[in-house]
Amino acid sequence: MGKRYLVLLLLLISLLLTACDGVSLFDKYETTFESALTTDTSPVSTNTEDTTSITPAPTESSVAEETSDESLPDSEALVYGNISFYYDMMEDVYADENDGTELVYAQIQNISIDIEGQPAVTETINDALSQISADRIADYEFMCVLAQGGYIEGGMELIVAPYEYLAYTEPTYISDSFLSFYVLDYQYWGGAHGGSIVQGLSFDLATGEPVTIESISDQPDAFLNFIEEHIINQIIEMPEDERPVFNDFETTIPNEMEHTAILFTNAEEPSIVVVFQEYSIGPYSSATPTFLIPISECETYLRDEAKILFEPDDISE
């Protein structure tokens, strides 16, 4: 399990770092993502069909219907203990209905789960994951409508280049009692490069309730201050020419904490993962600066019941 999580974490970083001038995240997405999914595990089923479709300029109201009904392949299941993960990949090319010019390219990967014997918890978590899926379809529909309008008005000179939308969700912490997900949405609207937004979603598998800093600590403000100081100290210990941040990081990190994605991983040991959004504390070349803090260093701030979430079990070991 540790090897798989490490590969996934490296994949997340590599995908983000490829989002630089003149480089599309989509160029390496298919091969790297598929190899990560099959590392150290055997999917229950594998769909090898080419699922790319070309959508000829549907109307605003029909984009979501056409892409969600026709482009999604059969799900693949990855099983860990009593938890099954189902991946749905939509790959779609949106083209002008008159001349076939490709205006938008999308790869949107969503995920759902099934926890054996826990239908209520399964439903609660899937409701949250389904909302992400619905938001992505709406965003893709909006992108297609704007691309079509821009193309009608000024051709490719106006929209510069085909727009792109990449989105995926990956588990970063799996155990009998706890799940955490990394959620990435990348959009390219022409110009030098696109932009990414990262979210973290975590759940207590006993209840299905979200796990946040506030839910695992009875002193969340002090805990957040500890996290900020830990990150600042990590940066100070780096050689100055390797720091992924602007020089004013000791000020910007506390200011930007409320916009971070906070999730968890057990790639090597249970840790908090803090992901800063693009440009928030560093240049675009730094992508989304990410910092890990071992749970073992945070125990002073954790509720007793929260410590149980991070204990090793048959799945996470």
Side-chain angles (χ1 to χ4, degrees), residues 276-293:
F276 288 85
Q277 305 299 339
E278 287 177 345
Y279 292 117
S280 61
I281 63 171
Y284 184 82
S285 58
S286 295
T288 51
T290 301
F291 303 89
L292 275 66
I293 304 173

Side-chain angles (χ1 to χ4, degrees), residues 1-304:
M1 288 297 299
K3 179 181 177 183
R4 169 178 164 77
Y5 286 133
L6 183 58
V7 170
L8 288 174
L9 190 60
L10 291 173
L11 168 65
L12 300 178
I13 295 171
S14 66
L15 283 172
L16 291 171
L17 291 178
T18 57
C20 55
D21 289 4
V23 178
S24 169
L25 284 172
F26 295 94
D27 294 339
K28 299 181 179 179
Y29 177 80
E30 185 171 0
T31 54
T32 55
F33 188 72
E34 290 297 328
S35 64
L37 286 182
T38 56
T39 299
D40 200 28
T41 187
S42 299
V44 171
S45 62
T46 303
N47 187 319
T48 58
E49 296 180 2
D50 182 2
T51 60
T52 304
S53 63
I54 296 181
T55 305
T59 62
E60 180 174 358
S61 61
S62 65
V63 174
E65 179 180 354
E66 291 195 20
T67 56
S68 60
D69 288 346
E70 298 180 7
S71 301
L72 291 177
D74 293 336
S75 297
E76 298 179 357
L78 299 178
V79 181
Y80 296 96
N82 65 336
I83 308 173
S84 298
F85 296 85
Y86 298 91
Y87 290 86
D88 284 325
M89 174 68 77
M90 182 194 81
E91 184 173 7
D92 191 63
V93 178
Y94 178 94
D96 180 76
E97 62 181 355
N98 294 317
D99 61 18
T101 299
E102 296 181 3
L103 302 178
V104 186
Y105 176 62
Q107 284 185 330
I108 300 176
Q109 175 256 303
N110 295 306
I111 193 170
S112 61
I113 68 163
D114 180 65
I115 307 175
E116 185 178 353
Q118 294 183 265
V121 171
T122 296
E123 181 178 5
T124 298
I125 295 175
N126 280 337
D127 283 347
L129 296 173
S130 294
Q131 185 59 57
I132 291 174
S133 176
D135 290 344
R136 286 169 168 170
I137 293 298
D139 288 346
Y140 176 53
E141 177 177 323
F142 180 66
M143 178 176 275
C144 291
V145 170
L146 289 186
Q148 183 65 69
Y151 185 68
I152 291 173
E153 182 177 346
M156 294 305 291
E157 292 183 1
L158 182 60
I159 70 170
V160 182
Y163 296 160
E164 296 178 339
Y165 188 11
L166 166 68
Y168 68 93
T169 303
E170 268 297 328
T172 56
Y173 196 121
I174 305 174
S175 73
D176 287 332
S177 56
F178 185 60
L179 276 180
S180 191
F181 294 93
Y182 179 101
V183 181
L184 171 72
D185 286 81
Y186 167 88
Q187 296 183 4
Y188 174 73
W189 294 82
H193 50 68
S196 299
I197 295 292
V198 179
Q199 303 177 64
L201 291 178
S202 302
F203 301 94
D204 183 336
L205 297 190
T207 63
E209 292 299 312
V211 173
T212 64
I213 294 297
E214 290 76 16
S215 70
I216 63 176
S217 177
D218 54 10
Q219 42 184 333
D221 291 339
F223 194 6
L224 284 172
N225 288 337
F226 167 78
I227 292 172
E228 293 167 7
E229 292 173 4
H230 200 291
I231 292 171
I232 289 171
N233 288 333
Q234 287 186 44
I235 296 171
I236 290 174
E237 292 174 1
M238 297 177 184
E240 289 190 13
D241 60 350
E242 296 180 10
R243 294 175 179 175
V245 294
F246 297 123
N247 291 333
D248 60 350
F249 64 90
E250 293 186 61
T251 299
T252 56
I253 284 175
N255 292 340
E256 292 295 330
M257 278 298 296
E258 65 178 309
H259 305 300
T260 59
I262 295 181
L263 53 148
F264 302 83
T265 183
N266 53 351
E268 295 183 352
E269 63 175 313
S271 300
I272 295 175
V273 182
V274 181
V275 184
F276 288 85
Q277 305 299 339
E278 287 177 345
Y279 292 117
S280 61
I281 63 171
Y284 184 82
S285 58
S286 295
T288 51
T290 301
F291 303 89
L292 275 66
I293 304 173
I295 291 294
S296 59
E297 298 182 23
C298 305
E299 291 189 349
T300 301
Y301 302 95
L302 297 180
R303 303 177 193 270
D304 289 339

